Amino acid sequence: MSSASATSFSELFPELFPVIIGHLPLVYRPSTLLSLALTCHRLHDIVFPQLVYGHVRLVGEDQAISTLNALIAKAELQGNPSPSHCIRHLCIDSSIKTPIRTPGYSVNALQKLIDVDGLRHLSALTLQVFGYWDGTEGNNPTDDFLKLPSSFGTSLKTKCPNLKTLHLSYFSQEFGKEWIEPEIFSFELPPNLHTLELRLRDAVGYLEIDASSPGGLLGCVIPNLRTLILDKFFVSDSVSTNTFWRAHPRIERLEFWPGMKGNWFNNFEIGMLSNLKYLQCNVNHALVLLPQVSNALIRLSLWETYNAQGPYLLRVVAQNEILPALRSLGIQRESGNSPKPREGHRWREDENGVVSEADAKRPARQFDGNYIMSLSKAAPNLEELELTGTSDDTLNSITASLSRFPKIQRLILSGGIKGYKRAFFARSENWEDYADYDTSHIAEEDYGKYAPETFDEAARDLADGCRTLDIVTMGNIFGELLIEGGLSAKIIRKCDGGAVKEVKRIRAWGNIIGKEEEW
């Protein structure tokens, strides 16, 4: 940047900086703001405290508790502004040994900060606090699951009236005790709430939700609801689900994680969810929804596909065999020769569009060049692609098919950590990058047709073969934004669209489109 440009940027009106920063994905804002604050005194004064404290992410119990306690102390000082009053989006990402025997853990500190009016301007709250067993014996099977106190919802209602986004992950729900759903819906929700995520845990079973059940989700109306993310819920009454979908026509983003059971879309009516743009679901849900909503979808993530069900859903079930607006696609795939009937799993298509069915005795399908070719026909405007499952094809075949996506920039493939049943490239399970993880040792004869010796080699080869790729990632969790333990490389080219000059390791992220305002 020239000196004149730098001077001009530093003299922008302070009111413009929140607008500029707002164009960055949330995950990049804190580091960008801190770097900006170091450039000169004027920018420091603009950035602190309003912008720096606008979005706060606390990682780990030590950081969360120490930061929250410091904010509580300042908020309790009467007449003095507290940095916590600048917080618009707060994320706590932590893990705790349970059962909790002391009040000094992060969620309790958070509630105290709320109760002393320290988060009066909070508009988004993300709690990803994972509880794991502390090694003690107990009689309660949910002892190692975190439970929100019954007063937490009341605190949010009375002290955070501007709350628009609520993400709760990994907390317990219990039958006949203090479980989370009635508390969340037993008070009048903030009128501007537009995003709700409840990804809960339960050692006992699934919670049955019915529209007529007091406090149930399906009996609730959230007028401005645009994003709904759920896990570990069960429903048996499809009539009540239709009532819920009719009451929420503004939903743009719907994510159903693998723990969602029951008939959520049986008797689904034309015109429902007409504004849907971002969808994550399993195959059975997709078979119902895609004929109705595929034309407008910007992001699609498919759980539990089997063999060729992924391209079948896009090329046969979707409207007009094409998803013109789709920019982000994720497919989690299992492969095998199971005799269980599964619609579309034997589907095949050649480069000329001729469709056939695989032999019923040998229907297994991996992520080969032909599979990816069918995806490119269905999603010509794709910018990011996530594939979870095995591949046994040549490098040239894979990259030639990837190059059929003229706009593709980000590629996420399943890595060698044992959390995946099988890695995309079999040899990756032997990479030194995974030396600290529990992986299966792969014999040389099982390496497959393409066997890169390192992640950097794989990233370079894929990017050299597909010249639009900007980031290559090997993940270990499907559908997540932040991939803990993932491997990721930024591709630096000799020129635009040219050969790879360097691969630079970066933090591993999954598909980003539609999640720009999340951690």
Side-chain angles (χ1 to χ4, degrees):
M1 181 182 289
S2 68
S3 175
S5 298
T7 302
S8 146
F9 181 77
S10 67
E11 293 177 354
L12 289 173
F13 291 113
E15 296 81 3
L16 293 177
F17 283 90
V19 178
I20 295 170
I21 292 298
H23 286 279
L24 284 174
L26 187 57
V27 294
Y28 299 121
R29 287 180 205 171
S31 60
T32 302
L33 285 167
L34 291 173
S35 298
L36 190 62
L38 294 174
T39 58
C40 69
H41 289 293
R42 180 176 183 269
L43 290 181
H44 178 277
D45 293 341
I46 292 173
V47 167
F48 277 94
Q50 195 71 28
L51 294 183
V52 162
Y53 280 93
H55 305 280
V56 176
R57 181 171 184 252
L58 305 176
V59 180
E61 280 296 282
D62 290 343
Q63 185 185 69
I65 291 172
S66 61
T67 302
L68 292 171
N69 284 337
L71 293 173
I72 290 168
K74 292 182 179 180
E76 287 178 329
L77 295 175
Q78 298 295 324
N80 292 322
S82 169
S84 65
H85 295 159
C86 301
I87 296 177
R88 301 301 193 270
H89 188 170
L90 176 62
C91 171
I92 297 178
D93 188 349
S94 183
S95 60
I96 303 172
K97 287 186 177 181
T98 55
I100 304 298
R101 293 188 174 84
T102 65
Y105 87 108
S106 56
V107 175
N108 288 342
L110 169 63
Q111 184 169 353
K112 184 173 181 181
L113 180 60
I114 293 172
D115 289 339
V116 299
D117 205 24
L119 294 173
R120 62 181 67 167
H121 299 302
L122 188 70
S123 62
L125 176 62
T126 300
L127 293 183
Q128 300 171 156
V129 186
F130 189 86
Y132 62 98
W133 187 46
D134 66 355
T136 61
E137 296 294 334
N139 296 322
N140 188 346
T142 64
D143 270 349
D144 61 330
F145 292 175
L146 295 177
K147 306 172 184 66
L148 286 176
S150 58
S151 57
F152 186 79
T154 304
S155 295
L156 283 179
K157 172 191 175 183
T158 56
K159 297 292 187 177
C160 303
N162 299 312
L163 192 68
K164 299 180 179 67
T165 298
L166 181 61
H167 297 274
L168 298 178
S169 300
Y170 310 128
F171 290 91
S172 171
Q173 56 180 353
E174 288 191 304
F175 290 102
K177 294 187 180 180
E178 186 180 276
W179 45 281
I180 191 172
E181 196 203 9
E183 187 57 39
I184 291 297
F185 298 113
S186 64
F187 59 84
E188 182 179 350
L189 289 165
N192 295 320
L193 188 75
H194 58 64
T195 297
L196 179 63
E197 175 178 5
L198 293 175
R199 290 171 59 188
L200 308 180
R201 307 174 68 204
D202 187 9
V204 179
Y206 292 101
L207 175 64
E208 291 190 7
I209 301 174
D210 192 295
S212 60
S213 299
L217 169 63
L218 296 184
C220 181
V221 176
I222 309 171
N224 295 304
L225 187 65
R226 297 201 302 269
T227 295
L228 181 63
I229 304 170
L230 298 174
D231 195 13
K232 301 296 185 187
F233 286 92
F234 176 85
V235 67
S236 58
D237 180 7
S238 60
V239 174
S240 63
T241 60
N242 279 1
T243 301
F244 182 80
W245 302 133
R246 287 191 212 99
H248 297 90
R250 302 179 67 178
I251 291 178
E252 297 179 357
R253 177 181 171 189
L254 181 64
E255 292 187 10
F256 274 17
W257 288 76
M260 297 297 290
K261 308 296 181 181
N263 302 318
W264 287 87
F265 301 106
N266 277 15
N267 303 314
F268 190 76
E269 300 171 1
I270 295 176
M272 291 195 297
L273 295 178
S274 59
N275 289 307
L276 197 64
K277 296 180 176 66
Y278 309 93
L279 174 63
Q280 178 172 296
C281 63
N282 65 27
V283 170
N284 291 332
H285 296 153
L287 286 168
V288 177
L289 291 176
L290 286 183
Q292 309 294 334
V293 304
S294 61
N295 276 344
L297 287 181
I298 296 172
R299 175 165 57 83
L300 174 64
S301 294
L302 296 169
W303 285 97
E304 301 169 350
T305 71
Y306 193 72
N307 291 332
Q309 285 184 314
Y312 172 80
L313 286 167
L314 272 62
R315 294 285 287 147
V316 178
V317 177
Q319 299 163 295
N320 305 317
E321 303 178 357
I322 190 172
L323 290 81
L326 199 69
R327 298 166 51 210
S328 175
L329 175 63
I331 297 177
Q332 188 255 344
R333 195 218 71 236
E334 297 291 337
S335 180
N337 298 319
S338 169
K340 179 181 177 180
R342 292 179 171 92
E343 182 175 342
H345 83 106
R346 294 168 52 199
W347 185 85
R348 298 291 188 272
E349 177 187 30
D350 67 17
E351 291 189 3
N352 298 318
V354 178
V355 174
S356 61
E357 280 201 351
D359 188 327
K361 296 181 179 179
R362 300 183 63 185
R365 187 75 187 275
Q366 300 192 54
F367 287 129
D368 55 20
N370 181 267
Y371 186 111
I372 298 172
M373 176 272 297
S374 291
L375 299 182
S376 70
K377 289 185 175 182
N381 295 310
L382 208 65
E383 298 173 23
E384 56 185 21
L385 175 64
E386 180 176 16
L387 300 176
T388 298
T390 56
S391 176
D392 185 18
D393 205 346
T394 65
L395 174 66
N396 287 341
S397 176
I398 293 171
T399 55
S401 294
L402 288 172
S403 297
R404 290 174 173 266
F405 296 102
K407 300 178 181 179
I408 194 166
Q409 300 173 33
R410 293 180 293 278
L411 178 66
I412 301 98
L413 306 174
S414 49
I417 297 178
K418 200 171 182 179
Y420 279 124
K421 294 183 178 178
R422 292 285 298 278
F424 192 89
F425 300 124
R427 189 175 182 180
S428 66
E429 298 191 31
N430 295 353
W431 286 350
E432 186 65 27
D433 300 279
Y434 295 128
D436 295 333
Y437 295 90
D438 183 13
T439 62
S440 302
H441 182 76
I442 301 297
E444 186 172 348
E445 60 267 24
D446 297 324
Y447 279 174
K449 296 174 183 176
Y450 173 59
E453 295 183 3
T454 66
F455 167 71
D456 289 348
E457 178 186 339
R460 180 182 288 271
D461 287 348
L462 289 165
D464 264 331
C466 180
R467 295 298 178 93
T468 58
L469 283 179
D470 184 54
I471 294 174
V472 175
T473 300
M474 303 291 283
N476 58 343
I477 300 177
F478 178 75
E480 296 283 5
L481 177 59
L482 173 61
I483 304 175
E484 297 288 354
L487 308 173
S488 190
K490 168 72 175 176
I491 307 302
I492 300 172
R493 300 187 181 275
K494 296 177 180 179
C495 61
D496 188 24
V500 176
K501 178 182 179 181
E502 179 186 357
V503 293
K504 182 179 180 181
R505 293 290 186 99
I506 59 174
R507 195 173 189 183
W509 301 99
N511 283 355
I512 295 175
I513 292 172
K515 302 180 181 181
E516 291 86 354
E517 291 300 314
E518 295 178 16
W519 296 100

Coordinates of all heavy atoms in Angstrom, one line a residue, residues 154-189:
T154 N -34.1 -16.8 32.5 CA -34.7 -15.6 33.1 C -33.7 -14.4 33.0 O -34.0 -13.3 32.7 CB -35.1 -15.8 34.6 OG1 -36.0 -16.9 34.6 CG2 -35.7 -14.6 35.2
S155 N -32.4 -14.7 33.3 CA -31.4 -13.7 33.2 C -31.2 -13.1 31.8 O -31.1 -11.9 31.6 CB -30.0 -14.2 33.7 OG -30.1 -14.6 35.1
L156 N -31.3 -14.0 30.8 CA -31.2 -13.5 29.4 C -32.4 -12.6 29.1 O -32.2 -11.6 28.4 CB -31.2 -14.7 28.5 CG -29.9 -15.5 28.3 CD1 -30.0 -16.6 27.4 CD2 -28.7 -14.6 27.9
K157 N -33.6 -13.0 29.6 CA -34.8 -12.3 29.2 C -34.7 -10.9 29.8 O -35.0 -9.9 29.1 CB -36.0 -13.0 29.7 CG -37.3 -12.2 29.6 CD -38.4 -12.9 30.4 CE -39.7 -12.0 30.3 NZ -40.8 -12.6 31.1
T158 N -34.4 -10.8 31.1 CA -34.5 -9.5 31.8 C -33.3 -8.6 31.5 O -33.4 -7.4 31.6 CB -34.6 -9.8 33.3 OG1 -33.5 -10.5 33.8 CG2 -35.9 -10.5 33.6
K159 N -32.1 -9.2 31.3 CA -30.9 -8.3 31.2 C -30.3 -8.2 29.8 O -29.5 -7.4 29.6 CB -29.8 -8.9 32.1 CG -30.2 -9.0 33.6 CD -30.3 -7.6 34.2 CE -30.5 -7.6 35.7 NZ -30.5 -6.3 36.3
C160 N -30.8 -9.0 28.8 CA -30.3 -8.9 27.5 C -31.5 -8.7 26.5 O -31.7 -9.6 25.7 CB -29.5 -10.1 27.1 SG -28.1 -10.5 28.2
P161 N -32.1 -7.6 26.5 CA -33.3 -7.4 25.7 C -33.1 -7.3 24.2 O -34.0 -7.5 23.4 CB -33.9 -6.1 26.2 CG -32.8 -5.4 26.8 CD -31.8 -6.4 27.4
N162 N -31.8 -7.1 23.8 CA -31.5 -6.9 22.4 C -31.0 -8.2 21.8 O -30.4 -8.2 20.7 CB -30.4 -5.8 22.3 CG -30.9 -4.5 22.7 OD1 -32.0 -4.1 22.4 ND2 -30.1 -3.8 23.6
L163 N -31.1 -9.3 22.5 CA -30.5 -10.6 22.0 C -31.2 -11.0 20.7 O -32.5 -11.1 20.7 CB -30.7 -11.7 23.1 CG -29.9 -13.0 22.8 CD1 -28.4 -12.7 22.9 CD2 -30.4 -14.1 23.8
K164 N -30.5 -11.3 19.7 CA -31.0 -11.7 18.4 C -30.5 -13.1 18.0 O -31.2 -13.8 17.2 CB -30.6 -10.7 17.3 CG -31.1 -9.3 17.5 CD -30.6 -8.4 16.3 CE -31.1 -7.0 16.5 NZ -30.5 -6.3 17.6
T165 N -29.4 -13.5 18.6 CA -28.8 -14.8 18.2 C -28.4 -15.6 19.4 O -27.7 -15.0 20.3 CB -27.5 -14.5 17.3 OG1 -27.9 -13.9 16.1 CG2 -26.9 -15.9 16.9
L166 N -28.8 -16.8 19.5 CA -28.5 -17.7 20.6 C -28.1 -19.1 20.1 O -28.8 -19.8 19.5 CB -29.7 -17.9 21.5 CG -29.5 -18.7 22.8 CD1 -28.5 -18.1 23.7 CD2 -30.9 -18.8 23.5
H167 N -26.8 -19.4 20.4 CA -26.2 -20.7 20.1 C -25.9 -21.4 21.3 O -25.0 -21.0 22.1 CB -24.9 -20.5 19.2 CG -25.1 -19.9 17.9 ND1 -25.5 -20.5 16.8 CD2 -25.0 -18.6 17.5 CE1 -25.6 -19.7 15.8 NE2 -25.3 -18.5 16.2
L168 N -26.5 -22.6 21.6 CA -26.2 -23.4 22.7 C -25.8 -24.8 22.3 O -26.6 -25.5 21.6 CB -27.4 -23.5 23.7 CG -27.9 -22.2 24.3 CD1 -29.1 -22.4 25.2 CD2 -26.8 -21.5 25.1
S169 N -24.6 -25.2 22.6 CA -24.1 -26.5 22.1 C -23.6 -27.4 23.3 O -22.9 -26.8 24.2 CB -23.0 -26.4 21.1 OG -23.4 -25.7 20.0
Y170 N -23.9 -28.7 23.3 CA -23.3 -29.7 24.2 C -23.9 -29.7 25.6 O -23.5 -30.5 26.4 CB -21.8 -29.6 24.3 CG -21.1 -29.5 22.9 CD1 -20.2 -28.4 22.6 CD2 -21.4 -30.4 21.9 CE1 -19.6 -28.4 21.4 CE2 -20.8 -30.3 20.7 CZ -19.9 -29.3 20.4 OH -19.3 -29.2 19.2
F171 N -24.9 -28.9 25.9 CA -25.5 -28.9 27.2 C -26.5 -30.1 27.2 O -27.0 -30.6 26.2 CB -26.3 -27.6 27.5 CG -25.3 -26.5 27.7 CD1 -24.9 -25.7 26.7 CD2 -24.8 -26.2 29.0 CE1 -24.1 -24.6 26.9 CE2 -23.9 -25.2 29.2 CZ -23.6 -24.4 28.2
S172 N -26.8 -30.5 28.5 CA -27.7 -31.7 28.7 C -29.2 -31.3 28.6 O -29.5 -30.1 28.9 CB -27.4 -32.3 30.0 OG -28.4 -33.3 30.3
Q173 N -30.0 -32.2 28.2 CA -31.4 -32.1 28.5 C -31.8 -33.4 29.3 O -31.3 -34.5 29.0 CB -32.2 -32.1 27.1 CG -31.9 -33.2 26.2 CD -32.7 -33.1 24.9 OE1 -33.5 -32.2 24.8 NE2 -32.4 -34.0 24.0
E174 N -32.7 -33.2 30.2 CA -33.1 -34.3 31.1 C -34.6 -34.5 31.1 O -35.3 -33.5 31.1 CB -32.5 -34.2 32.5 CG -31.0 -34.3 32.6 CD -30.6 -34.4 34.1 OE1 -30.9 -33.5 34.8 OE2 -30.0 -35.4 34.4
F175 N -35.1 -35.7 31.3 CA -36.5 -35.9 31.5 C -36.9 -35.8 32.9 O -36.2 -36.3 33.8 CB -36.8 -37.3 31.0 CG -36.8 -37.5 29.5 CD1 -35.7 -38.2 29.0 CD2 -37.7 -37.0 28.7 CE1 -35.6 -38.3 27.6 CE2 -37.6 -37.2 27.3 CZ -36.5 -37.9 26.8
G176 N -38.0 -35.0 33.2 CA -38.5 -34.9 34.5 C -37.7 -34.1 35.5 O -37.9 -34.1 36.6
K177 N -36.6 -33.5 34.9 CA -35.8 -32.7 35.8 C -35.7 -31.3 35.2 O -36.6 -30.8 34.7 CB -34.4 -33.4 36.0 CG -34.5 -34.7 36.7 CD -33.1 -35.2 37.0 CE -33.1 -36.6 37.7 NZ -31.8 -37.1 37.9
E178 N -34.5 -30.7 35.4 CA -34.3 -29.3 34.9 C -33.7 -29.4 33.5 O -32.5 -29.3 33.3 CB -33.3 -28.7 35.9 CG -33.1 -27.2 35.7 CD -32.1 -26.7 36.7 OE1 -32.6 -26.3 37.8 OE2 -30.9 -26.6 36.4
W179 N -34.6 -29.6 32.5 CA -34.0 -29.7 31.2 C -34.2 -28.4 30.4 O -35.1 -27.6 30.8 CB -34.5 -30.9 30.5 CG -36.0 -31.2 30.5 CD1 -36.7 -31.8 31.5 CD2 -37.0 -30.9 29.5 NE1 -38.0 -31.9 31.2 CE2 -38.2 -31.4 30.0 CE3 -36.9 -30.4 28.3 CZ2 -39.4 -31.3 29.3 CZ3 -38.1 -30.2 27.5 CH2 -39.3 -30.7 28.0
I180 N -33.5 -28.3 29.4 CA -33.2 -26.9 28.9 C -34.4 -26.4 28.1 O -34.7 -25.2 28.1 CB -32.0 -27.0 28.0 CG1 -31.5 -25.5 27.6 CG2 -32.1 -27.8 26.8 CD1 -30.2 -25.5 27.0
E181 N -35.1 -27.2 27.3 CA -36.1 -26.7 26.4 C -37.2 -25.9 27.0 O -37.5 -24.8 26.6 CB -36.6 -27.7 25.4 CG -37.3 -27.1 24.2 CD -38.2 -28.1 23.6 OE1 -38.5 -29.1 24.2 OE2 -38.7 -27.8 22.5
P182 N -37.9 -26.4 28.0 CA -38.9 -25.6 28.6 C -38.4 -24.3 29.2 O -39.1 -23.3 29.1 CB -39.4 -26.5 29.8 CG -39.1 -27.9 29.4 CD -37.8 -27.7 28.7
E183 N -37.2 -24.2 29.7 CA -36.7 -23.0 30.2 C -36.4 -22.0 29.1 O -36.7 -20.8 29.3 CB -35.4 -23.2 31.0 CG -34.9 -22.0 31.7 CD -35.9 -21.5 32.7 OE1 -36.6 -22.2 33.4 OE2 -36.0 -20.2 32.8
I184 N -35.9 -22.5 28.0 CA -35.7 -21.6 26.9 C -37.0 -21.0 26.3 O -37.1 -19.8 26.0 CB -35.0 -22.3 25.7 CG1 -33.5 -22.6 26.1 CG2 -34.9 -21.5 24.4 CD1 -32.7 -21.5 26.4
F185 N -38.1 -21.8 26.3 CA -39.3 -21.3 25.7 C -40.4 -21.0 26.7 O -41.5 -20.7 26.3 CB -39.8 -22.4 24.7 CG -38.9 -22.7 23.6 CD1 -38.3 -23.9 23.4 CD2 -38.6 -21.7 22.6 CE1 -37.4 -24.1 22.4 CE2 -37.8 -21.9 21.6 CZ -37.1 -23.1 21.5
S186 N -40.1 -21.0 28.0 CA -41.1 -20.7 29.0 C -41.3 -19.2 29.2 O -42.2 -18.8 29.8 CB -40.8 -21.4 30.3 OG -39.6 -20.8 30.8
F187 N -40.3 -18.4 28.7 CA -40.5 -17.0 28.8 C -40.7 -16.4 27.4 O -40.5 -17.0 26.4 CB -39.3 -16.3 29.5 CG -38.0 -16.6 28.8 CD1 -37.6 -15.8 27.8 CD2 -37.1 -17.6 29.2 CE1 -36.4 -16.0 27.1 CE2 -35.9 -17.8 28.6 CZ -35.6 -17.0 27.5
E188 N -41.2 -15.1 27.4 CA -41.4 -14.5 26.1 C -40.0 -14.2 25.5 O -39.2 -13.5 26.0 CB -42.1 -13.2 26.3 CG -42.4 -12.4 25.0 CD -43.2 -11.1 25.3 OE1 -43.6 -10.9 26.4 OE2 -43.3 -10.3 24.3
L189 N -39.8 -14.8 24.4 CA -38.5 -14.7 23.7 C -38.3 -13.2 23.3 O -39.2 -12.5 23.0 CB -38.4 -15.6 22.5 CG -38.3 -17.1 22.8 CD1 -38.6 -17.9 21.6 CD2 -36.9 -17.4 23.4

